[in-house]
């Protein structure tokens, strides 16, 4: 089975910053801390993620994603979201592989129920395109 290496398509996802008054609400949002080479500290779900030291946006590390073609997640549950507050979600990604694609896929939760708010922004229908530069 052919594997597609997606150089840091989610590396920016590493910098997924949910900002409230300029503060990053994520744990290890810049992916600088790692428990081991496949487990960035503080991330809840990390499928096919590995520590990257060559192609980085800033700092020492980023996260590289390798996929066999199926959906792979890189996820963190962010706590202390306050209803009625405006948040900015921003992240950097590097997609330099014509076979790779990625998109943000997020949602608001109330308890264990998914809320429909901001679906068009949090779950877009478009994917990244091959580009040899970092994009925010």
């Amino acid at each position: 089975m052919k594997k597609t290496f997606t150089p840091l398509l989610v590396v920016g996802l590493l910098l997924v910053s949910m900002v409230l008054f300029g503060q990053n609400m994520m744990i290890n949002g810049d992916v600088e801390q790692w428990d081991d080479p496949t487990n960035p500290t503080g991330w809840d779900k990390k499928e096919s993620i590995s520590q990257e030291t060559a192609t980085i946006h800033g700092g020492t590390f980023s996260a590289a994603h390798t996929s066999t073609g199926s959906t792979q997640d890189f996820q963190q549950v962010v706590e202390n979201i306050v209803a009625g507050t405006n948040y900015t979600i921003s992240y950097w990604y590097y997609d330099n592989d014509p076979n790779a694609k990625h998109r943000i896929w997020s949602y608001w939760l109330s308890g264990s129920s998914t809320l429909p708010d901001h679906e068009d922004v949090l779950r877009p229908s478009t994917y990244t395109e091959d580009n040899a530069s970092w994009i925010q």
Side-chain angles (χ1 to χ4, degrees):
M1 185 176 291
K2 181 182 174 189
K3 288 192 174 197
T4 302
F5 179 68
T6 307
L8 316 167
L9 65 108
V10 283
V11 176
L13 202 59
L14 334 161
L15 295 175
V16 177
S17 39
M18 296 188 80
V19 183
L20 170 63
F21 305 113
Q23 294 179 332
N24 190 342
M25 297 178 69
M26 296 190 70
I27 298 169
N28 193 25
D30 59 1
V31 197
E32 283 297 309
Q33 290 104 36
W34 290 74
D35 298 333
D36 60 58
T38 59
N39 290 295
T41 303
W43 288 81
D44 301 306
K45 191 172 182 183
K46 50 257 176 202
E47 298 175 330
S48 303
I49 296 294
S50 62
Q51 188 178 59
E52 173 67 37
T53 59
T55 306
I56 58 173
H57 183 263
T60 305
F61 304 113
S62 61
H65 177 247
T66 305
S67 176
T68 59
S70 62
T71 299
Q72 300 291 304
D73 293 334
F74 189 40
Q75 165 185 316
Q76 185 175 130
V77 175
V78 178
E79 302 288 340
N80 301 315
I81 301 294
V82 178
T85 302
N86 290 322
Y87 294 91
T88 299
I89 300 172
S90 176
Y91 65 98
W92 289 91
Y93 66 90
Y94 186 92
D95 176 357
N96 192 24
D97 184 328
N99 297 313
K101 60 183 180 177
H102 126 267
R103 65 180 171 178
I104 188 171
W105 193 259
S106 299
Y107 43 85
W108 303 111
L109 291 176
S110 177
S112 61
S113 300
T114 302
L115 302 175
D117 304 56
H118 311 109
E119 284 182 0
D120 57 330
V121 176
L122 297 175
R123 294 184 292 284
S125 60
T126 57
Y127 290 88
T128 61
E129 295 182 13
D130 184 29
N131 190 330
S133 61
W134 286 95
I135 299 173
Q136 186 174 25

